[in-house]
Amino acid sequence: MTTNDPQKQNPEEEFVHEDDSIIGTAFKWSLVAIALIAVVGAGIWFATREKAVAEQTIERDDIVAPDKLVQTAADRPDVRFTDVTAAAGISFEHVSGATGEKLLPETMGGGSAFFDYDGDGDQDLLFVNSTHWAHDNVSSKPTMALYQNDGSGNFSDVTRGSGLDVSFYGQGVAVADYDGDGDTDVFFTAVGPNRLFRNDGGKFTDVTRSAGVGGESKRWSSSAGFFDYDNDGDLDLFVCNYVQWSREIDIELNFSLNGTDRAYGPPTNYQGSHSYLYRNDGGGKFTDVSEEAGIEVANPATGAAMGKALALTFADVDDDGFLDIFVANDTVQNFAFQNKGDGTFKEIGSVSGLGFDSTGSATGAMGIDVADFANGDYLGVGIGNFSNETTSFYVQQPRNPWQWVDQANAEGIGSPSRLKLSFGLFFFDYDLDGRQDLLQANGHLEDEINEVQPSQHYLQPAQVFWNCGPKAKSCFAAVDEKDLGDLARPIVGRGAGYADIDADGDLDVLLTQTGGKPLLIRNEQDLGNHWLRVKAVGRGDNTDAIGAEVILVAGGETQRRFVMPSRSYLSQVELPVTFGLGKNDGVDSLVVRWPDGSEQTVSVDGIDTTITVRQGELVSESEAAR
């Protein structure tokens, strides 16, 4: 994109990339530069980097080289995806407020959440809407949208009178039972003040002011998630903040693609912003502990806020019983917050290998997820990036849980993802074979991008990467668009989530569009694979058991799932976890590691069903028996 007058640019900005063409040119020359640096300047570079992160040293093991990339001959499953949006009763359409001014927030929303708001056992659906800009003086007030599931994948619009029929410039959503009363509450992020709604038996009450989580009125918040960072039994709240933006700054910068018409500008010319960490103090009250907890990260060169956070997820990386935080930052290094167990975090993204891609560069990072993708003792973190940047795929290294290597190319994700601009991203086992696959929602920022960059398109199809299993040299293989059915329909993809909407055991997909209608995609797999779904119910205030791990063994294979709805981009996935069993007709063992550290072995009597596991009760409750 064409930048404005250099005299008007922010002197504290971090220039990482400005447009696709510059990225491409820079990448080619960077190969030469990297070679020269390796010969004559490596010592200086590493000395400088060490000085910058002197407070973040970490013991490192030798990096394990990835297997050589080869084409896999494994047979991909024949699974079709069908658009059921209209047939299911979904009529929602996102309003971005765009009228031609090309204001950056217009191209970044909006999120969605699968959650059981009425406690009847199925997955309902919530859409986050934006609205018209105040300066446009439009009388209509678009609201959020709540849809009730009848249990078979048919939805009814129950927004009116729900308490969520409110209008503001929404972005993302986080859902959880933050007050421990047994029903799921809703937190919205926004351009402007954020909002918290308490669920009172299926009706929602705005408790933002009393809870103390509205944030600053001029902040732009993106993704958010509930988790128990201090292990006190209740759910705290992390809120990602993006760049310091205003309409006045956007208009003054005057971005353009062709030198004449306005365009959506890159985040490089905006200052970063600190995210929020709110501690749950009980009684419906939260306290902002961002600074004292160590999640406010400054640019070491300027002292200004470094983060430009768009997405987050949580996992106990080092198995110490405390949840750590992954944050995807746009055009600056990603953050990895190591939970020290004393109420504080240490940011170690750059030294752990999670901060940058395989070339040592920051990326235009959007969506994020973490999973035990290989059914092993190590994790993978996927991050969706800007066009002409491959999707990042960081693999945890042996012997050191805080050492990661970007193996996107070696594991079959790199090349197929390079041309796509990816937002929502998540791991899920779409064919129920017991291995977690990867999906990403794609779509460009500019509707005229093809006129200046022939390789790029505004509407882009989603991508699915099938997990080939341990016998393949590369873990993932891109599924051909022709084999994805309606999931390959080109859209302006943003948020992405999954849930079993029709109680058939497989995971269906939701993709949102900015300024457009969502796609609710039913998974039509009919492979004869068995499955087991597990809903964990915790004791105390964390009734959702967020942060729990569920470990299943079947046919000698160990699978691990995390009870963590916060993942992807601006969105939330369902709370129950799904295990594909393949052709195994039984479960050898099932163990739940609860957030308080206790372990519970659960008796499983049958498969192809959903069971409820309550903390402290040894016998599971089958959905079929209720």
Side-chain angles (χ1 to χ4, degrees):
M1 298 178 183
T2 304
T3 60
N4 63 308
D5 183 345
Q7 298 301 318
K8 295 181 181 179
Q9 294 178 352
N10 190 323
E12 295 182 345
E13 65 194 0
E14 298 88 0
F15 290 100
V16 179
H17 71 270
E18 297 204 12
D19 64 13
D20 295 346
S21 59
I22 292 177
I23 291 173
T25 303
F27 179 73
K28 294 175 183 177
W29 283 107
S30 68
L31 297 179
V32 178
I34 290 170
L36 292 174
I37 291 172
V39 176
V40 301
I44 297 175
W45 187 90
F46 280 110
T48 303
R49 173 63 63 88
E50 285 297 317
K51 182 178 180 180
V53 295
E55 299 298 320
Q56 307 179 37
T57 57
I58 187 169
E59 183 180 352
R60 304 181 69 91
D61 294 321
D62 293 334
I63 294 176
V64 177
D67 290 332
K68 182 180 179 181
L69 177 62
V70 297
Q71 292 292 330
T72 175
D75 293 329
R76 295 171 180 81
D78 183 12
V79 176
R80 291 284 176 157
F81 294 89
T82 301
D83 178 4
V84 296
T85 312
I90 305 296
S91 59
F92 171 79
E93 185 167 357
H94 179 262
V95 175
S96 69
T99 59
E101 282 192 309
K102 294 294 185 78
L103 302 177
L104 187 56
E106 296 168 357
T107 194
M108 302 299 287
S112 65
F114 283 110
F115 74 127
D116 183 9
Y117 90 93
D118 52 5
D120 64 355
D122 53 42
Q123 298 303 307
D124 307 303
L125 187 51
L126 176 65
F127 291 101
V128 183
N129 214 343
S130 300
T131 190
H132 304 287
W133 296 109
H135 60 265
D136 288 328
N137 296 315
V138 178
S139 59
S140 65
K141 300 292 184 181
T143 72
M144 313 300 136
L146 178 65
Y147 285 86
Q148 184 180 50
N149 190 344
D150 69 357
S152 60
N154 298 310
F155 293 84
S156 300
D157 189 339
V158 294
T159 310
R160 181 174 296 182
S162 68
L164 300 181
D165 46 350
V166 291
S167 183
F168 52 91
Y169 207 95
Q171 292 284 275
V173 61
V175 294
D177 179 13
Y178 79 88
D179 53 1
D181 65 352
D183 47 27
T184 304
D185 312 295
V186 174
F187 177 82
F188 292 105
T189 63
V191 179
N194 302 317
R195 307 280 286 273
L196 176 64
F197 291 82
R198 186 184 64 221
N199 188 339
D200 296 320
K203 300 294 183 181
F204 293 85
T205 303
D206 190 336
V207 294
T208 309
R209 184 181 296 275
S210 61
V213 294
E216 298 177 22
S217 62
K218 294 185 178 181
R219 287 283 181 99
W220 174 356
S221 298
S222 51
S223 298
F226 288 96
F227 75 126
D228 184 5
Y229 84 91
D230 51 4
N231 283 4
D232 65 352
D234 55 28
L235 292 174
D236 312 296
L237 176 63
F238 192 103
V239 182
C240 294
N241 285 320
Y242 192 35
V243 295
Q244 297 185 35
W245 176 90
S246 70
R247 176 176 179 250
E248 292 72 25
I249 295 174
D250 205 326
I251 294 296
E252 181 181 1
L253 290 173
N254 196 28
F255 299 101
S256 178
L257 280 174
N258 56 19
T260 303
D261 303 314
R262 270 189 61 80
Y264 292 111
T268 49
N269 288 317
Y270 296 97
Q271 288 191 40
S273 186
H274 291 311
S275 295
Y276 302 129
L277 176 61
Y278 294 104
R279 184 187 64 220
N280 190 335
D281 296 326
K285 306 289 185 181
F286 290 81
T287 298
D288 186 343
V289 295
S290 309
E291 182 177 6
E292 63 194 74
I295 64 100
E296 293 187 350
V297 181
N299 184 320
T302 66
M306 180 188 293
K308 298 180 180 181
L310 284 178
L312 82 165
T313 193
F314 310 91
D316 182 3
V317 172
D318 43 18
D319 201 27
D320 64 354
F322 289 88
L323 288 172
D324 310 294
I325 310 170
F326 299 99
V327 175
N329 281 317
D330 192 2
T331 71
V332 298
Q333 72 157 81
N334 301 313
F335 291 155
F337 290 104
Q338 182 184 25
N339 194 329
K340 305 302 293 182
D342 58 1
T344 67
F345 294 84
K346 184 178 183 180
E347 201 293 299
I348 56 173
S350 61
V351 294
S352 67
L354 288 160
F356 304 95
D357 68 9
S358 59
T359 70
S361 301
T363 61
M366 263 71 86
I368 190 170
D369 197 9
V370 59
D372 181 2
F373 70 98
N375 294 340
D377 295 326
Y378 54 94
L379 302 175
V381 173
I383 296 180
N385 293 319
F386 207 77
S387 54
N388 292 328
E389 297 172 340
T390 67
T391 294
S392 299
F393 184 64
Y394 302 97
V395 178
Q396 195 177 34
Q397 297 298 289
R399 300 182 301 277
N400 190 334
W402 280 109
Q403 184 175 315
W404 303 72
V405 175
D406 185 357
Q407 296 184 189
N409 288 323
E411 296 296 5
I413 296 173
S415 179
S417 65
R418 180 174 295 281
L419 289 181
K420 298 297 190 291
L421 200 166
S422 304
F423 280 85
L425 174 151
F426 57 72
F427 293 95
F428 75 139
D429 183 2
Y430 78 93
D431 58 344
L432 301 178
D433 66 351
R435 303 187 298 268
Q436 295 193 76
D437 315 294
L438 180 67
L439 178 147
Q440 58 185 38
N442 304 316
H444 213 282
L445 307 184
E446 296 287 350
D447 56 3
E448 299 176 347
I449 188 64
N450 186 250
E451 296 179 12
V452 294
Q453 295 181 43
S455 67
Q456 289 298 311
H457 299 274
Y458 183 48
L459 305 177
Q460 299 181 5
Q463 290 176 289
V464 172
F465 295 88
W466 180 60
N467 192 325
C468 305
K471 295 182 179 180
K473 285 294 184 179
S474 58
C475 183
F476 294 95
V479 180
D480 291 338
E481 291 181 20
K482 63 180 178 62
D483 295 328
L484 290 176
D486 291 333
L487 191 55
R489 180 180 301 171
I491 62 171
V492 191
R494 293 297 183 261
Y498 63 79
D500 179 10
I501 64 171
D502 48 9
D504 64 353
D506 54 34
L507 295 174
D508 309 294
V509 173
L510 178 72
L511 307 177
T512 66
Q513 299 192 76
T514 182
K517 296 181 179 181
L519 284 184
L520 181 61
I521 305 291
R522 188 175 62 215
N523 186 337
E524 303 280 16
Q525 72 83 28
D526 187 22
L527 302 171
N529 289 333
H530 297 295
W531 50 274
L532 182 72
R533 287 168 50 79
V534 180
K535 178 183 178 182
V537 179
R539 289 186 303 207
D541 289 337
N542 185 4
T543 62
D544 293 328
I546 289 177
E549 295 184 20
V550 186
I551 302 98
L552 177 146
V553 179
E557 186 85 358
T558 300
Q559 302 181 48
R560 186 167 41 146
R561 300 287 185 269
F562 304 126
V563 180
M564 181 54 63
S566 300
R567 58 186 75 196
S568 186
Y569 172 75
L570 305 181
S571 302
Q572 304 273 284
V573 304
E574 65 174 359
L575 275 171
V577 297
T578 297
F579 293 94
L581 302 178
K583 303 308 178 185
N584 294 301
D585 57 5
V587 172
D588 299 331
S589 67
L590 183 71
V591 174
V592 179
R593 293 177 179 170
W594 298 99
D596 63 6
S598 62
E599 291 193 5
Q600 181 174 335
T601 300
V602 180
S603 173
V604 179
D605 295 329
I607 58 173
D608 298 333
T609 188
T610 299
I611 63 172
T612 297
V613 179
R614 303 181 186 279
Q615 188 171 4
E617 298 181 10
L618 299 183
V619 179
S620 62
E621 179 184 352
S622 173
E623 182 180 73
R626 288 204 304 270

